[in-house]
Amino acid sequence: MWEFRSMMFWRAVFAEFFGTMFFVFFGMGAALRWTSGPYHVFHTALCFGFAAATFIQCIGHISGGHINPAVTFAYLVGSQMSLFRAFFYICAQLLLILLNMKKTHLGMATTVEVFLTMQLVVCVFAVTDERRNGRLGSAALSIGFSVTMAHLMGMYYTGAGMNPARSFAPAVLMRNFINHWVYWVGPMIGAAMGAILYDFMLFPRMRGLSERLATLKGSRVPEVENQQESRAEVIELKTQAL
């Protein structure tokens, strides 16, 4: 059975676990009663919709972005995937970590900021990845959906920081830095986790340590800039020929 020996298969299974877990995390997080005010069904529905759009965009090129056992079963019935793959997809989709999110404290607030920022970074990496063939839709719109979803889930909990600069400005204006570290520690940890998750696990870049160090030192020109320079040279040659 070739799939069992394929690293791409196991990445796809992990992508389904990651996508479904975060889809449920954000959807259920938005559905919780954060305040004593009226319950808004539209708020929850909107967050679930944005969550689906965001995570399908994030993992669609890796696993197909099912994030739903019913969708996987439909693919199986339609003979579009193997029974082996369908079984592991469904197991991954149901392997969720149950989180108690009703009590607010600093540790949980930091965790929420970690998760909010991590999904944003994975989305940014996924929709701007130059290796991805046939990108779907607008990268800017997908990132906007990601930010909107994070606010629908986290606004009443931590204010949905995700951006230390965005949190630092009101803290300076209001001269209130109580627990302000949460809005630096959470996003920085989340950003690092998101980068490692996408770049080393979901869709790894096959680069050695020397290449990565060269990039960090600034002695290696990024691939995107090389492509842009090549296009510019071609255009210049065509202009000269005319």
Side-chain angles (χ1 to χ4, degrees):
M1 194 171 290
W2 70 269
E3 287 179 316
F4 184 81
R5 298 188 299 272
S6 170
M7 185 58 69
M8 292 182 66
F9 167 75
W10 293 111
R11 286 188 192 123
V13 171
F14 178 75
E16 283 298 314
F17 165 73
F18 163 78
T20 309
M21 180 182 69
F22 272 69
F23 171 70
V24 173
F25 174 80
F26 281 90
M28 294 302 295
L32 292 177
R33 300 293 296 270
W34 300 106
T35 62
S36 58
Y39 184 76
H40 296 290
V41 176
F42 180 71
H43 177 101
T44 305
L46 199 62
C47 190
F48 266 114
F50 281 137
T54 299
F55 294 114
I56 289 172
Q57 182 73 286
C58 286
I59 67 172
H61 59 302
I62 302 170
S63 68
H66 294 190
I67 63 172
N68 183 339
V71 173
T72 301
F73 183 67
Y75 272 85
L76 180 64
V77 171
S79 301
Q80 297 189 46
M81 67 189 312
S82 69
L83 182 62
F84 184 78
R85 182 178 289 262
F87 173 77
F88 276 94
Y89 268 30
I90 292 174
C91 287
Q93 290 157 356
L94 298 179
L95 189 63
L96 300 175
I97 300 173
L98 301 178
L99 298 175
N100 180 9
M101 299 166 55
K102 291 191 174 181
K103 293 184 179 180
T104 304
H105 52 80
L106 289 180
M108 204 61 199
T110 307
T111 302
V112 168
E113 283 294 320
V114 167
F115 275 87
L116 295 181
T117 310
M118 182 162 64
Q119 65 82 26
L120 174 61
V121 168
V122 171
C123 180
V124 171
F125 273 45
V127 300
T128 60
D129 193 340
E130 71 280 357
R131 300 168 298 159
R132 184 175 178 178
N133 295 321
R135 290 182 193 165
L136 299 176
S138 164
L141 191 60
S142 298
I143 294 168
F145 281 169
S146 172
V147 173
T148 303
M149 174 192 66
H151 278 77
L152 288 170
M153 183 268 170
M155 177 60 74
Y156 296 113
Y157 198 84
T158 63
M162 298 181 289
N163 182 342
R166 176 244 190 231
S167 303
F168 184 65
V172 171
L173 291 174
M174 301 299 295
R175 297 181 182 178
N176 183 0
F177 288 91
I178 297 175
N179 300 327
H180 182 66
W181 61 269
V182 168
Y183 299 97
W184 284 85
V185 174
M188 292 304 182
I189 293 176
M193 289 175 64
I196 293 170
L197 181 64
Y198 186 84
D199 234 11
F200 290 88
M201 299 175 69
L202 290 175
F203 206 45
R205 292 180 184 272
M206 300 306 175
R207 292 189 297 177
L209 180 60
S210 59
E211 288 182 275
R212 293 181 181 276
L213 289 174
T215 301
L216 291 173
K217 293 176 181 178
S219 56
R220 180 175 180 271
V221 181
E223 294 177 9
V224 176
E225 290 190 16
N226 275 327
Q227 292 172 0
Q228 290 175 346
E229 287 180 4
S230 298
R231 289 196 200 102
E233 288 175 3
V234 170
I235 293 171
E236 186 177 348
L237 288 173
K238 286 182 178 180
T239 304
Q240 291 175 355
L242 293 174

